[in-house]
Amino acid sequence: MIVLEVSIPVPLNKNFYYLPPESINPEYVVGKRVRVQFGKRTLTGYAVSSLNIEGNNSLKLKRIIEIIDKDSLITCETMELANYISKNYVCSLGEALASIISVSMKPPKRISKVKNTPTELVQERHILNIDQNKAVNLINKSLEKNIYTSFLLHGVTASGKTEVYINAIEYALKQNKTAIMLIPEISLTPQFVYVMTKRFGLKVGVWHSGISNIEKYKLFSKAKSIDIKIMIGARSAIFTPFENLGLIVIDEEHEHTYKQEQKPSYDAREIAKWRGNYHNAVVVLGSATPSLESYKDALENKINLIELNERIDGKELPEVKVVSLKNRFFKSSLLLSETVDAISKALSRKEQVIVFLNRRGYSPVIMCRKCASVYQCPKCSISMVFHRNPDSLKCHYCGETKSLPVACSACKSREVTVFGTGTQKVEDELKKLFKTARIFRLDGDTASLKENYEKAYNGIKNGEYDILLGTQMIAKGFDFPRVSLACVIDADTSLHLPGFKSVEKTFQLITQVAGRSGRGDIRGSVIVQTNLPNHYAIEHAKNHDFVSFYNVEIEQRKKLFYPPYCDVAKISIRNKDEKKAAKDSEKLISFLEELVKSYKLGLKLLGPVSAYISKLNNIYRKHIIIKGERENILKLAIFLDNFKQSWGTLIGIEIMPTDLI
Ligand SMILES: [Zn+2]
Ligand SMILES: [Zn+2]
């Protein structure tokens, strides 16, 4: 009797057996997604193989309810990659498969012939400068060799990295290969799609969380049949099923968005290296502010370093002015007079301005003036944020919404006020100060409407707006030649987070925001408002000096034994009951410490500590941190399944998290 082996995205490390639907050849089902009864639920699984079982064992098996796909989607590479993910990020094969081939992707009812409306291809070529030429030649040579090679393209902002990518992609296509290009932020999609389709027309596919499940299926099929040759997209585009993959580009490689936080907590950069190796392809990681990990790899010759030290066309890097917020805290406005002057001058010259603040909403703190108690989300241990239009309090973590309290819940005083500044408040201030300026705000609130990305991009490009205000969405990658001023309203927001990457992130953010300025004919300038004007992250960002920053920061990591000097994992212990969460985390750490000792794993365990947000959505969260070698961390992780926890406790592990808080 032939049965089908099905991988199901549940946290169980085994496959399950099903019979094919009545009168269907089992071989026809292999490689496809199927609907199956699993316990009381109906789930989507992956028919990974068929096998012959003897006797009547098959009598008890259930039949597959439905075959979802017409064509087989699972290849040999898919299986090998799923195994790699399952092992390296500690998840089941089914969970790994679900990250490669989404369960929700939906085949269209009828396959309509795609109308090819050819866009006009612009063959205008930017002439590459000497550095760009050198970079392209190095990459192209590797493309010819058909050996896996990886590069770190470290180029200052506006040094023309995109043009290097385009030339390399073009060369890959010439060799009948395909290319994947990852971008860190969905807000950048319109810009890259514009640039790439102008050059490559219909060969380009675009993949991100905003596209429909049917559209995803179509793109997946087109990539498989090489009807498209380039895929641009966010993190999960790394799984594009190209079979003759020649080149993978990861732009702004330092961005944390390339790391998935949920299970499986894969890192698109590691997947890129794996696929590069599998296909003998070239991997290019590009950034103006490389991650410490990648730059260290480059200095140790584990990855080839290419540097672009100059902006294109001999443009100068913008002048960065750091202004101290010290002693000015209680002023009613968060825009210092220097900043207001600079904006007003830029606007009077008909130039554009970018204003960056990494905090959305109106005011992040609601406090009682009498007893100083802070209003927190009832479900989470974090302050709710005051939003305008309509006036409400929102929790940015669980989504809870409340109206502004009339009286303090602790002392009943009516003197409840809001403190601090978010993007909405800055917008109000800008509107008051610059009455005729046209302002576009792009942050987590406005960006919930997908068309707002395009509106922001096209609006700024075509000069319909004077000021682009927003959170990290506007900090990276945008290329607007008329922007001559970039303002960082509060450089310290990220510095105050207790993660080991906080300083690195701050340096990256300031450098990236600064990089938006002066990309056209006008020399740019930048204003950074901060309470810590002498902090090394801010000083080195002011001087556009990545290498000096790297040298200081890498010493810190070495001293404190953090990545890249060790590998890390974060175990999270969650329970609705605070005591159970605490008890289980204590029990778990002694259990793990025993294992570390008896198997001589040489790992350091830290904790348990309460998570930075110790209660989220009414669930208490504790962390245990593991430091040491990846291989040994994975050995230890296998035992997590054996740990007997209390009822309701959930234990998860994230391998190489971007923060430990
Ligand atoms: Zn909440
Ligand atoms: Zn009070």
Side-chain angles (χ1 to χ4, degrees):
M1 186 79 186
I2 294 175
V3 302
L4 286 153
E5 193 178 2
V6 178
S7 283
I8 299 176
V10 290
L12 292 168
N13 278 319
K14 56 177 185 175
N15 288 331
F16 301 87
Y17 299 101
Y18 289 87
L19 295 171
E22 206 90 52
S23 73
I24 298 246
N25 179 355
E27 288 310 318
Y28 172 79
V29 191
V30 175
K32 294 172 184 169
R33 293 173 307 156
V34 291
R35 297 289 290 167
V36 293
Q37 188 80 31
F38 186 79
K40 283 179 180 157
R41 294 177 291 171
T42 315
L43 295 178
T44 297
Y46 302 79
V48 292
S49 67
S50 65
L51 73 170
N52 209 339
I53 54 172
E54 309 241 320
N56 289 329
N57 287 339
S58 59
L59 288 178
K60 286 175 244 145
L61 295 180
K62 290 195 183 84
R63 282 195 186 278
I64 283 168
I65 302 169
E66 187 198 350
I67 303 166
I68 298 172
D69 304 311
K70 288 194 182 69
D71 301 305
S72 164
L73 305 185
I74 302 166
T75 61
C76 289
E77 188 195 358
T78 315
M79 288 312 293
E80 278 184 43
L81 182 54
N83 272 312
Y84 167 81
I85 290 175
S86 156
K87 265 197 207 114
N88 279 277
Y89 301 102
V90 194
C91 66
S92 72
L93 191 65
E95 290 171 317
L97 280 165
S99 59
I100 303 173
I101 304 171
S102 152
V103 288
S104 49
M105 223 167 50
K106 239 164 102 182
K109 287 236 162 59
R110 283 180 305 136
I111 302 196
S112 53
K113 245 314 191 206
V114 196
K115 265 187 242 136
N116 280 3
T117 38
T119 44
E120 208 173 303
L121 291 194
V122 180
Q123 287 301 337
E124 75 174 64
R125 227 155 270 281
H126 297 259
I127 295 164
L128 300 178
N129 65 26
I130 297 171
D131 285 348
Q132 284 175 313
N133 241 323
K134 236 165 83 185
V136 170
N137 284 338
L138 279 167
I139 297 168
N140 289 359
K141 260 194 202 126
S142 298
L143 279 166
E144 279 169 14
K145 277 188 203 149
N146 284 318
I147 305 171
Y148 163 60
T149 321
S150 60
F151 292 96
L152 175 63
L153 177 62
H154 172 216
V156 297
T157 55
S159 58
K161 291 188 286 294
T162 306
E163 207 49 41
V164 172
Y165 303 150
I166 290 177
N167 278 272
I169 290 172
E170 194 170 48
Y171 199 74
L173 261 53
K174 244 187 218 157
Q175 298 184 305
N176 273 323
K177 291 175 182 173
T178 52
I180 297 174
M181 173 155 174
L182 298 190
I183 52 175
E185 181 79 55
I186 189 170
S187 60
L188 289 171
T189 325
Q191 172 176 308
F192 277 101
V193 171
Y194 174 77
V195 172
M196 299 299 256
T197 45
K198 223 168 82 179
R199 216 41 184 268
F200 300 110
L202 293 166
K203 292 177 193 137
V204 183
V206 187
W207 183 276
H208 56 73
S209 57
I211 58 175
S212 73
N213 286 326
I214 292 185
E215 198 50 45
K216 276 190 180 162
Y217 191 94
K218 285 187 191 162
L219 274 171
F220 193 95
S221 311
K222 277 190 191 170
K224 244 177 150 267
S225 56
I226 323 178
D227 282 343
I228 52 170
K229 293 187 165 60
I230 305 161
M231 186 71 96
I232 309 176
R235 179 177 62 225
S236 56
I238 194 64
F239 297 118
T240 305
F242 285 137
E243 272 165 30
N244 50 347
L245 188 55
L247 176 67
I248 303 173
V249 174
I250 302 188
D251 191 31
E252 314 285 1
E253 67 87 24
H254 60 278
E255 284 294 340
H256 66 101
T257 45
Y258 290 126
K259 179 75 169 53
Q260 171 147 295
E261 280 175 28
Q262 305 95 319
K263 197 180 182 188
S265 57
Y266 72 86
D267 186 324
R269 286 158 291 207
E270 288 180 348
I271 305 290
K273 288 172 189 169
W274 187 94
R275 293 200 73 191
N277 207 8
Y278 185 92
H279 288 272
N280 294 318
V282 175
V283 174
V284 179
L285 307 177
S287 178
T289 51
S291 61
L292 264 61
E293 287 82 355
S294 297
Y295 199 71
K296 185 166 177 280
D297 280 351
L299 295 181
E300 290 168 0
N301 295 319
K302 290 178 191 158
I303 176 171
N304 301 288
L305 181 64
I306 306 178
E307 299 201 86
L308 304 174
N309 292 322
E310 308 272 327
R311 281 192 158 185
I312 43 167
D313 304 333
K315 280 167 201 148
E316 281 179 273
L317 282 158
E319 187 192 350
V320 181
K321 198 168 160 194
V322 176
V323 286
S324 174
L325 285 166
K326 263 189 209 158
N327 308 322
R328 306 206 226 185
F329 213 71
F330 293 104
K331 273 205 162 180
S332 57
S333 167
L334 201 74
L335 294 172
L336 298 177
S337 54
E338 289 93 329
T339 310
V340 175
D341 279 356
I343 296 177
S344 128
K345 276 185 192 141
L347 292 179
S348 70
R349 291 190 303 256
K350 304 265 179 259
E351 293 157 11
Q352 292 170 316
V353 178
I354 278 187
V355 178
F356 167 79
L357 176 65
N358 217 1
R359 227 188 271 128
R360 67 191 167 93
Y362 194 85
S363 284
V365 182
I366 298 99
M367 202 198 258
C368 169
R369 277 185 191 274
K370 267 248 170 80
C371 74
S373 61
V374 172
Y375 195 87
Q376 289 202 329
C377 170
K379 294 180 181 170
C380 310
S381 58
I382 195 107
S383 176
M384 291 187 95
V385 178
F386 177 57
H387 283 245
R388 275 277 168 85
N389 310 316
D391 286 8
S392 61
L393 301 182
K394 281 187 195 164
C395 173
H396 285 182
Y397 291 86
C398 75
E400 178 85 359
T401 309
K402 295 223 160 231
S403 51
L404 193 64
V406 193
C408 168
S409 58
C411 75
K412 304 286 174 250
S413 152
R414 290 189 162 248
E415 287 184 58
V416 179
T417 37
V418 295
F419 285 97
T421 305
T423 43
Q424 281 189 331
K425 189 171 176 186
V426 174
E427 186 181 17
D428 271 11
E429 271 191 39
L430 289 170
K431 277 180 180 161
K432 263 181 227 151
L433 287 164
F434 309 105
K435 294 206 166 59
T436 53
R438 298 157 300 170
I439 302 168
F440 196 99
R441 175 166 60 85
L442 191 68
D443 57 26
D445 297 313
T446 57
S448 49
L449 280 173
K450 292 276 179 313
E451 61 263 30
N452 271 341
Y453 299 124
E454 282 192 33
K455 220 171 144 190
Y457 171 68
N458 289 322
I460 296 286
K461 197 172 66 135
N462 302 331
E464 290 156 25
Y465 297 102
D466 306 303
I467 301 176
L468 177 62
L469 157 71
T471 52
Q472 81 272 357
M473 288 181 186
I474 65 162
K476 43 201 149 186
F478 273 137
D479 183 14
F480 298 128
R482 276 209 288 262
V483 171
S484 69
L485 173 68
C487 308
V488 179
I489 300 301
D490 185 353
D492 315 337
T493 42
S494 50
L495 262 184
H496 294 322
L497 284 170
F500 72 95
K501 285 201 174 185
S502 300
V503 174
E504 186 185 357
K505 275 185 193 159
T506 304
F507 174 82
Q508 288 164 347
L509 263 176
I510 298 172
T511 309
Q512 293 292 339
V513 176
R516 298 316 107 217
S517 175
R519 301 175 74 94
D521 297 330
I522 328 146
R523 168 138 201 224
S525 58
V526 181
I527 291 196
V528 177
Q529 302 191 158
T530 171
N531 278 298
L532 301 161
N534 300 320
H535 193 286
Y536 66 93
I538 289 167
E539 283 202 324
H540 291 314
K542 175 183 185 320
N543 300 327
H544 309 283
D545 191 352
F546 170 78
V547 176
S548 297
F549 171 75
Y550 172 85
N551 288 333
V552 181
E553 187 60 11
I554 202 81
E555 275 308 310
Q556 293 292 321
R557 299 281 179 88
K558 195 174 181 179
K559 221 162 61 192
L560 300 169
F561 193 51
Y562 276 120
Y565 287 94
C566 68
D567 296 323
V568 287
K570 177 167 77 181
I571 297 179
S572 63
I573 301 105
R574 286 161 291 167
N575 198 313
K576 278 198 163 160
D577 184 328
E578 195 175 6
K579 279 186 191 143
K580 276 186 186 167
K583 215 179 100 199
D584 277 355
S585 32
E586 291 295 346
K587 255 172 41 191
L588 179 58
I589 198 161
S590 353
F591 171 78
L592 294 174
E593 257 156 9
E594 276 303 309
L595 290 165
V596 169
K597 242 190 256 160
S598 50
Y599 289 90
K600 297 197 175 65
L601 295 175
L603 297 169
K604 223 173 157 179
L605 300 179
L606 307 175
V609 291
S610 288
Y612 174 63
I613 296 163
S614 59
K615 185 177 80 167
L616 183 70
N617 224 339
N618 281 329
I619 292 170
Y620 291 88
R621 311 188 310 154
K622 302 271 179 194
H623 286 158
I624 292 171
I625 304 300
I626 313 173
K627 286 176 167 185
E629 271 181 35
R630 176 95 164 245
E631 203 182 311
N632 292 327
I633 292 175
L634 293 171
K635 276 183 196 158
L636 183 67
I638 294 169
F639 292 102
L640 278 177
D641 286 344
N642 300 353
F643 178 69
K644 300 230 173 337
Q645 66 262 46
S646 324
W647 192 82
T649 295
L650 289 170
I651 290 172
I653 183 163
E654 190 186 339
I655 305 293
M656 298 301 282
T658 49
D659 67 56
L660 301 174
I661 59 176

